[in-house]
Amino acid sequence: MKQQSKPKQTNPLVISVIGLMLILFGIADILFDKKVLGIILLAAGFILGISGIQRYKLLKEQLAMKKQK
């Protein structure tokens, strides 16, 4: 029988980079195109960026705890 594998977790730094890209697209939209869409993208970028950094810190702490054991 085949064992079911766990779904692979996304690297938290990738989430932060996507957040950074959304921030840049949001700024460009605010400056050149639609302000409402730019504000939405900017807010989503900040949320993704901050959550990615928090997940990275948590993962780093977990790895440090495993290393000590």
Side-chain angles (χ1 to χ4, degrees):
M1 247 210 257
K2 247 186 181 180
Q3 289 183 348
Q4 290 189 4
S5 61
K6 292 182 183 177
K8 191 173 182 182
Q9 285 186 335
T10 305
N11 188 342
L13 294 179
V14 172
I15 296 172
S16 296
V17 169
I18 292 171
L20 180 62
M21 288 173 48
L22 286 176
I23 290 171
L24 294 175
F25 287 134
I27 290 171
D29 270 346
I30 288 173
L31 293 176
F32 299 113
D33 198 24
K34 300 179 181 180
K35 294 192 184 305
V36 175
L37 179 63
I39 292 170
I40 292 170
L41 287 174
L42 198 61
F46 278 122
I47 291 169
L48 274 178
I50 291 171
S51 68
I53 290 171
Q54 288 175 343
R55 286 184 185 185
Y56 179 70
K57 286 181 182 178
L58 181 65
L59 181 65
K60 200 172 177 181
E61 288 174 3
Q62 288 175 351
L63 291 174
M65 294 294 275
K66 282 184 181 179
K67 210 175 201 182
Q68 287 178 353
K69 289 183 178 181

